[in-house]
Amino acid sequence: MILSYNHTSTRGQVTLKVSTIGATLLSYQIDGTEFIDGYLSEDELQTQDGFRSAVLVPWSDRLCDGRYSSAIYKDDGVGDRPRIGQSPAPFAADHIFSAKNPKYEPGIHGLVYDKDFKVVENSSEALRLELHLESEPGYPFELLISVSFEITPDGDLVTRISAQNQSLLACPIFIGWHPYFLLDGPLGQADLRIYGSSVVKTDDDLIPLPGNAAFKPIQSPAPGKVSTYADVGYTHLKNLQDIEHCNPPTGAITSLDGKASRDFSGYAHLNTGNRSIHMYVNFGADLPLRTFHVFTGHNLKRNPLTSIAIEPCQAIVNAFNRHDVGNKLVQPGDSRQMRTLIQARIEGSASTTDPMCS
C-alpha cells in the first residue's frame, strides 16, 4: 500500500509517498520538485533494484559470505540463549543467510526491506509504521522496528528509525538508511562533502580490510567530486560541533526530540545544479565507526548515474564480524535509534540563510 502525507510549509506544499513494503520512502517533493530517486511503483520496489530508500535493520550493507559468528553474543553475561518461539536455539558456529534476490549476495542490507509494515500513525504530525520482526534461524531474535517520517515547518524531512530488542537476551543491532538524491545535471558536476577523516578500504568483494588496514586517512571534508563507480564508505565522522563555520539547522531542537541543536554526529552536503541537499544525522551514542556510504547507482536498471545514494549507517560494512565497531549488542527491552534531518533547497529560494559548513 502506498501512503501519501501532505504538509504546508514555509517553502510551499510538501508531499511524501511511502510504501508499507519495507517502510520505503518513494517520493519527497516540495512545490512539485522531486528530490528523492525512489521506486515508481510497488512492482518496481519488489525487484529491490538498488535498494532505493531501503530501511536497513538489523544491519546495513554486507555481511562477509552472508554469515556472522554466534560468538558475538555468547559472552554478553545475560546467562541465557537466544530463543525461537519458546525453545532455546542452538548456538551454531555461524549464522548463515541465503540470497533473497539472485542479483545480490546473501546477507545484504538486513532483513526488513521487503517486509510488510503496519501503519500506526498517519496524522498531521507524522507518518509512522511498525514491524514486529520474528526470529529466524539466521537471526534468532525478535525486534520491534519503528520508522517515522515528519515534515518540519520549513519543509525539512525528519526520518526516525528505531529497533527495540524484544528477545530474552542481548542481540546485535545496527541501523542504516539508503536514500538516493536526484541530480540536477551530470554526475561529474556534482559536489559532495562528507565530514569524516577516513575512507574505508575494501577487498574485491567490498568487504573492509581487517583491523586498521580498513581505514585510509583523508582530508575532511571529502570527497568533493564523486567517481562514476563510487561504492565507498566514509567514517570517523565529525560531530557537527567540531566542524568549523557550521551553523545548526533551524528548528533542530523541536524536530529532534528536544536534543540540543548541535547534537548531530554526522553531516553531509550535496550541491548539484541549482539544488542542494544537507543531511544531518544523530547516529546514537558509542558508535565509533558510524559511516556515510556513497553509491552512484551505476548499475541500476532504471536511470543509472542520475542520482547519488548517501547512506547514513551506524557502522561500517560487515560490522557483525568486526571487533572495532563498538558495542554490537542491545539489551532486552532497549533500543537503537537513528534520526536524520534532510534539508532540500533550490537556488534562489529562501536558502541563502540556510546552514552551510565549510
Side-chain angles (χ1 to χ4, degrees):
M1 178 171 61
I2 295 177
L3 308 166
S4 291
Y5 176 58
N6 298 292
H7 186 89
T8 300
S9 76
T10 59
R11 288 184 167 84
Q13 187 70 17
V14 180
T15 301
L16 301 182
K17 290 186 179 180
V18 176
S19 172
T20 54
I21 301 173
T24 305
L25 178 66
L26 304 179
S27 175
Y28 169 38
Q29 295 185 11
I30 302 177
D31 266 0
T33 298
E34 180 65 74
F35 291 93
I36 292 290
D37 188 9
Y39 293 113
L40 300 181
S41 67
E42 288 190 328
D43 286 341
E44 186 185 33
L45 190 163
Q46 289 172 334
T47 70
Q48 292 300 330
D49 181 49
F51 296 93
R52 300 171 191 252
S53 297
V55 171
L56 313 178
V57 178
W59 68 87
S60 58
D61 295 297
R62 296 166 172 82
L63 293 176
C64 183
D65 297 325
R67 65 178 65 202
Y68 70 97
S69 172
S70 64
I72 66 173
Y73 52 78
K74 274 186 177 179
D75 301 324
D76 66 355
V78 176
D80 200 352
R81 293 189 170 194
R83 294 175 178 268
I84 300 176
Q86 298 300 315
S87 301
F91 283 109
D94 289 303
H95 290 311
I96 303 173
F97 298 91
S98 58
K100 292 184 177 183
N101 186 323
K103 181 179 177 181
Y104 299 107
E105 63 266 41
I108 191 168
H109 287 328
L111 300 173
V112 307
Y113 56 79
D114 58 352
K115 296 288 195 297
D116 288 320
F117 280 67
K118 178 181 179 181
V119 180
V120 294
E121 181 180 358
N122 189 357
S123 69
S124 59
E125 301 297 325
L127 176 60
R128 185 163 60 91
L129 304 93
E130 287 185 351
L131 170 71
H132 178 249
L133 181 67
E134 298 182 352
S135 62
E136 59 175 78
Y139 189 78
F141 309 102
E142 295 185 6
L143 304 180
L144 178 64
I145 299 161
S146 175
V147 181
S148 70
F149 302 92
E150 305 164 32
I151 301 299
T152 72
D154 288 333
D156 305 328
L157 172 61
V158 177
T159 301
R160 311 168 193 263
I161 304 172
S162 68
Q164 182 189 49
N165 179 6
Q166 295 193 327
S167 309
L168 298 178
L169 82 167
C171 68
I173 302 173
F174 288 115
I175 292 171
W177 189 39
H178 203 304
Y180 289 76
F181 298 95
L182 284 167
L183 295 173
D184 184 27
L187 173 65
Q189 295 178 11
D191 185 81
L192 175 62
R193 303 299 174 97
I194 292 176
Y195 291 77
S197 59
S198 297
V199 64
V200 180
K201 297 179 66 176
T202 69
D203 61 20
D204 291 341
D205 295 321
L206 300 179
I207 299 299
L209 299 180
N212 288 333
F215 310 113
K216 178 183 177 181
I218 56 174
Q219 184 176 356
S220 179
K225 299 303 179 185
V226 182
S227 168
T228 300
Y229 302 105
D231 192 348
V232 62
Y234 297 88
T235 191
H236 299 139
L237 302 179
K238 289 186 176 183
N239 294 317
L240 192 67
Q241 64 188 14
D242 298 325
I243 301 174
E244 294 183 4
H245 312 298
C246 194
N247 298 314
T250 303
I253 293 178
T254 57
S255 64
L256 288 177
D257 291 342
K259 298 290 184 181
S261 61
R262 299 183 71 85
D263 190 14
F264 293 93
S265 47
Y267 171 74
H269 174 214
L270 172 66
N271 270 336
T272 170
N274 72 340
R275 64 176 65 186
S276 63
I277 300 292
H278 303 265
M279 178 183 282
Y280 300 84
V281 185
N282 186 325
F283 286 92
D286 303 321
L287 297 166
L289 294 184
R290 60 192 186 273
T291 299
F292 283 115
H293 199 95
V294 175
F295 177 55
T296 56
H298 57 269
N299 59 358
L300 292 177
K301 185 176 180 180
R302 175 177 58 78
N303 295 341
L305 300 176
T306 59
S307 59
I308 296 178
I310 308 172
E311 311 162 35
C313 300
Q314 290 183 327
I316 65 172
V317 173
N318 199 34
F320 281 10
N321 292 310
R322 296 184 65 92
H323 301 291
D324 52 2
V325 294
N327 187 8
K328 306 179 187 75
L329 299 179
V330 175
Q331 296 297 324
D334 290 346
S335 300
R336 274 238 158 93
Q337 302 180 46
M338 185 176 77
R339 301 173 180 85
T340 304
L341 174 66
I342 295 171
Q343 295 185 319
R345 299 291 184 263
I346 298 293
E347 184 179 341
S349 68
S351 61
T352 53
T353 59
D354 286 339
M356 294 289 291
C357 300
S358 59

